[in-house]
Amino acid sequence: MMKIAILGTGIMGSGMASRLLEQGMPVTVWNRNAARAAPLADAGAVIAPTPADAAAQADLVIAMVADDDASRQVWLGENGAFAAMRPGTIAVECSTLTHGWIGKLFDEAAAHGISLLDAPVTGSRV
C-alpha cells in the first residue's frame, strides 16, 4: 500500500489527511505547529517532527502550506523533505505559489530524482 506524507495540516491539509485516513491509507503528517496535527493522530496518522521525517518513507508527499516561503522551507529548508525523499518518490505541491518559485521547485525536484506535480487547490472553510 502506498505510504503518504502530508506537509501542512491547516484547513486544507488536515482535510486531505482525514480523507486518506478514512480510506485506510497509511498517512504521516507534519505541521510547523505540532498541536494542529494532533487530532489526526487520533484518526490514525503518524505525527512527524520534521518534513524530512514525514517524507523519508513516503511514496507520495503532498504539501499544502501558505506561500512560497513556507513551501521553500518544507521542501528545501533545514530538515526539508527533498533531502530525505528517495529518487522516484512523487511530490505534489498543492499550495498556491508564484510561477517563479514553482519553476525553481521543479528544477530542485529533478535534481533529487523526484517527480513533482504542481496541483494548487482552491477553497477554504465555509
Side-chain angles (χ1 to χ4, degrees), residues 31-125:
N31 196 70
R32 66 182 160 182
N33 177 345
R36 290 203 56 182
L40 293 166
D42 294 337
V46 173
I47 308 295
T50 69
D53 291 323
Q57 300 302 315
D59 302 301
L60 177 70
V61 181
I62 301 169
M64 174 54 81
V65 295
D67 54 28
D68 287 9
D69 290 336
S71 174
R72 188 174 293 106
Q73 286 302 310
V74 299
W75 295 117
L76 301 173
E78 183 177 347
N79 297 309
F82 278 176
M85 292 167 68
R86 296 163 300 180
T89 303
I90 300 168
V92 181
E93 179 53 88
C94 293
S95 313
T96 302
L97 305 172
T98 65
H99 180 73
W101 169 240
I102 201 66
K104 291 176 185 173
L105 192 58
F106 270 105
D107 292 342
E108 290 288 340
H112 285 86
I114 296 165
S115 298
L116 175 67
L117 174 65
D118 180 26
V121 299
T122 63
S124 188
R125 71 180 91 171

